[in-house]
Amino acid sequence: MHAPILDLDFIDNRTPEEAAACDTKVTVDTNTGRQRKLYIESYGCQMNFSDSEIVSSILFEAGFDTTSDVKNADLVLLNTCSIREKAETTVRHRLLQLQHMKKKRPGLIVGVLGCMAERLKKNLLEEEKMVDLVVGPDAYRDLPSLISEVEGGHKAVNVLLSREETYADINPIRLNSNGVSAFVSIMRGCDNMCSFCVVPFTRGRERSRDAHSIVREAQELVSQGYKEVTLLGQNVDSYKWASEDGTEKVNFAQLLEKVALISPDLRVRFSTSHPKDITDEVLYTIKKYDNICKYIHLPAQSGNSRVLDLMNRTYDRAWYIDRVDAIRRILGDECAISTDMISGFCTETEEEHKDTLTLIDYVQYDYAYMFFYSERPGTLAARKLEDDIPLEVKKRRLQEVIDLQRHYSLIRNEKTVGTVQKVLLEGFSKRSQEMLSGRDDKNRMVIIPKMDYQKGDYVNVLITHCSVGTLFGEPIL
Ligand code: SAH
Ligand code: SF4
Ligand code: F3S
């Protein structure tokens, strides 16, 4: 992912990996001679990155080229995240910086999109006086007319959520892409109501996109030379689509299969799998196709059944372990598993925190995104439970989780030394133009000497050494 663009010092509960994955900006200049220029910056999850591509496409049709330089922009959009308090603080800081720019250029239009727009609605206009435009995740088709309203001297808001909108017909402008790998949204919203989570409120009801439009989009990506798609949804395993006459029904396993069959050279990834929904059918489909990556992001959130119940995750520790065992049984020990963990959720005891550590010992995750609990207004937890774990305790528990996970990340990486992995090259390594970086099908970053290889190539690599976060190797013929 792209380098962070902001000073991240004040975002103290994020791992470096999360920070690197979380901030991005427009990296392409479309330069088609359109009169006005859009600069869009995305925060939060991959769904937001994918939505920014949809927004850019809608605004391209309305006469905006995208620019990678905020100084050239006529319209600045921040596509925001509300998942933790710090995510919102980051955006508030960014708005302060933009305020200075707007003072110098009064004609500049500044808009807030995404989850903060949806959570705060028109209050955001009162709290952030310089914001002209507030648009929620299901209202992006309305952007051109909202922008006209702003040009007419009014502030504009549309935060209506929809039960149908999937933007299926919109051809995204690939902003976050290296030309090798692209995101494809397969569903929107979430119906799960985990008690800590703001997403059901900011993204609305779950809906699945037409399977044919997903396959078509992936086919087009292949014809443009892309080698990898990541199918995105908050809960991909509950993907469910039926044709209008009801004769055709597609579940997630069947969708995975349809996308995998497009081309053996197209790698298929997906995120996120909810432990309550991931079926053996999905696991067997992953096994059946070499081009479906052997990597599953399976967020546990906690290793303790009482805490999981309070979180309203609808599974307990035994169920989660059963799903991990199924992955190991069907896909083998090689299959990579990652998780999200929350430390210091309401009423979590020291013993219950230790259950999270022992779950990490059991699963030996390849990778984890780890957070301390941040209360979000309006969620079930905020309404019903007390945020009673002191910040120092949350942070100490989080550090214990991070330290243990780093230990297992290294162990898992060390196991690959001496093996050969098929790597899809994505571009130059961050440190050197003499080295290329890519990922293997377990989603591990691999660095190799450049030689005559290029991004987009598949290369068989003998792994020679590793660190906690990266594998290093030599191509073999
Ligand atoms: N749909 C995904 C999660 C999306 S949010 C799933 O169900 O797994 C990404 C992660 O942010 C969550 O998995 C959780 O670990 C974390 N998160 C969500 N709300 C949070 C909160 N209030 N405080 C801290 N972390 C939170
Ligand atoms: Fe949030 Fe739970 Fe939905 Fe994930 S499944 S987005 S954590 S409510
Ligand atoms: Fe954040 Fe919204 Fe994604 S809250 S994590 S941007 S769905």
Side-chain angles (χ1 to χ4, degrees):
M1 207 64 67
H2 313 285
I5 45 162
L6 296 167
D7 178 0
L8 293 170
D9 281 345
F10 53 87
I11 309 171
D12 58 3
N13 69 339
R14 307 190 332 170
T15 60
E17 293 84 358
E18 193 202 357
C22 269
D23 287 8
T24 188
K25 59 176 180 171
V26 166
T27 50
V28 294
D29 293 88
T30 37
N31 280 334
T32 62
R34 277 154 204 256
Q35 291 230 311
R36 295 182 292 175
K37 291 207 186 306
L38 157 69
Y39 173 87
I40 182 165
E41 213 165 85
S42 313
Y43 298 81
C45 64
Q46 293 167 333
M47 300 287 300
N48 253 15
F49 296 170
S50 166
D51 280 1
S52 290
E53 302 187 327
I54 287 164
V55 166
S56 300
S57 174
I58 290 168
L59 288 176
F60 185 77
E61 296 303 323
F64 285 89
D65 269 324
T66 50
T67 172
S68 59
D69 186 351
V70 66
K71 289 193 227 60
N72 293 336
D74 303 288
L75 170 62
V76 174
L77 297 177
L78 302 187
N79 196 358
T80 60
C81 174
S82 290
I83 200 81
R84 284 167 291 275
E85 195 182 343
K86 286 279 154 53
E88 293 199 353
T89 316
T90 308
V91 169
R92 304 264 190 192
H93 279 80
R94 186 60 172 143
L95 285 171
L96 272 179
Q97 292 171 354
L98 291 172
Q99 193 166 2
H100 293 299
M101 199 174 291
K102 195 161 161 151
K103 277 197 187 122
K104 284 189 218 140
R105 290 166 49 206
L108 182 69
I109 300 176
V110 176
V112 176
L113 313 181
C115 291
M116 254 176 103
E118 192 61 50
R119 193 177 85 72
L120 295 164
K121 306 191 167 57
K122 66 176 181 349
N123 296 342
L124 198 56
L125 293 177
E126 279 137 41
E127 290 166 26
E128 303 287 345
K129 294 269 182 290
M130 43 77 74
V131 170
D132 305 298
L133 192 64
V134 174
V135 189
D138 286 345
Y140 296 147
R141 286 183 203 267
D142 200 21
L143 269 165
S145 72
L146 294 168
I147 290 166
S148 304
E149 271 183 51
V150 173
E151 285 168 338
H154 305 282
K155 303 244 169 187
V157 183
N158 186 345
V159 289
L160 286 176
L161 288 172
S162 155
R163 280 174 176 256
E164 286 93 37
E165 181 63 272
T166 58
Y167 301 110
D169 56 315
I170 291 181
N171 200 1
I173 293 184
R174 306 285 165 188
L175 303 173
N176 305 298
S177 165
N178 43 21
V180 177
S181 178
F183 298 132
V184 176
S185 287
I186 63 165
M187 56 204 296
R188 300 182 71 82
C190 182
D191 283 350
N192 282 322
M193 297 304 269
C194 300
S195 62
F196 52 79
C197 184
V198 78
V199 171
F201 303 94
T202 62
R203 293 269 165 178
R205 298 305 297 268
E206 185 175 291
R207 63 221 100 120
S208 295
R209 176 177 163 189
D210 179 328
H212 297 291
S213 81
I214 296 168
V215 171
R216 235 178 358 252
E217 186 174 334
Q219 279 166 335
E220 272 166 33
L221 286 163
V222 170
S223 67
Q224 291 159 18
Y226 282 84
K227 297 284 175 62
E228 181 178 275
V229 290
T230 304
L231 307 180
L232 292 181
Q234 291 300 351
N235 182 7
V236 288
D237 297 272
S238 71
Y239 176 88
K240 198 163 58 184
W241 175 81
S243 59
E244 259 169 36
D245 60 6
T247 53
E248 202 187 351
K249 289 198 169 102
V250 183
N251 67 16
F252 182 58
Q254 292 158 337
L255 180 73
L256 261 184
E257 179 159 49
K258 282 179 192 295
V259 178
L261 284 169
I262 292 171
S263 159
D265 266 349
L266 179 70
R267 260 192 184 171
V268 186
R269 297 186 186 280
F270 53 91
S271 187
T272 297
S273 298
H274 194 296
K276 81 174 160 57
D277 292 316
I278 190 164
T279 59
D280 288 0
E281 186 194 3
V282 167
L283 300 178
Y284 283 115
T285 307
I286 299 171
K287 183 184 167 85
K288 187 167 165 196
Y289 294 95
D290 279 346
N291 58 332
I292 303 181
C293 289
K294 308 297 177 271
Y295 164 58
I296 299 174
H297 183 54
L298 194 70
Q301 314 297 359
S302 164
N304 176 271
S305 296
R306 189 190 72 91
V307 174
L308 286 169
D309 186 41
L310 281 182
M311 287 176 163
N312 202 23
R313 289 290 285 181
T314 70
Y315 55 85
D316 60 9
R317 180 184 172 103
W319 173 280
Y320 186 86
I321 286 180
D322 172 74
R323 294 294 77 210
V324 170
D325 290 347
I327 294 170
R328 297 282 180 237
R329 184 175 71 244
I330 296 167
L331 294 165
D333 181 56
E334 270 247 300
C335 180
I337 306 178
S338 62
T339 187
D340 295 346
M341 292 293 191
I342 298 178
S343 293
F345 186 63
C346 312
T347 74
E348 182 191 66
T349 64
E350 222 39 55
E351 283 306 307
E352 290 167 338
H353 157 63
K354 292 214 171 76
D355 286 342
T356 295
L357 300 177
T358 60
L359 183 67
I360 295 173
D361 285 328
Y362 183 85
V363 182
Q364 307 205 1
Y365 293 104
D366 291 77
Y367 193 77
Y369 297 89
M370 299 157 283
F371 316 100
F372 65 72
Y373 174 57
S374 163
E375 185 179 84
R376 308 312 293 130
T379 55
L380 284 175
R383 282 185 277 147
K384 299 236 159 77
L385 302 169
E386 195 188 340
D387 181 13
D388 58 351
I389 309 298
L391 187 60
E392 320 83 73
V393 176
K394 286 180 180 174
K395 285 190 173 173
R396 195 251 308 143
R397 289 181 189 169
L398 173 62
Q399 197 55 51
E400 286 172 17
V401 170
I402 291 173
D403 290 345
L404 184 63
Q405 180 47 43
R406 284 178 69 85
H407 166 75
Y408 285 116
S409 292
L410 185 61
I411 288 184
R412 293 286 293 176
N413 281 350
E414 279 168 349
K415 279 193 181 168
T416 68
V417 173
T419 66
V420 174
Q421 302 292 333
K422 187 174 173 188
V423 175
L424 174 60
L425 295 174
E426 292 177 2
F428 289 110
S429 96
K430 275 189 213 130
R431 301 233 170 104
S432 161
Q433 298 276 311
E434 297 303 310
M435 310 294 274
L436 291 171
S437 87
R439 279 175 299 155
D440 68 4
D441 86 326
K442 321 293 183 312
N443 207 34
R444 293 176 294 230
M445 175 82 74
V446 184
I447 309 282
I448 64 162
K450 184 176 174 313
M451 299 152 82
D452 290 330
Y453 296 107
Q454 299 178 8
K455 71 175 183 180
D457 289 347
Y458 283 107
V459 188
N460 288 321
V461 176
L462 174 66
I463 306 301
T464 53
H465 57 293
C466 70
S467 67
V468 172
T470 315
L471 307 180
F472 301 87
E474 303 285 339
I476 56 167
L477 298 175

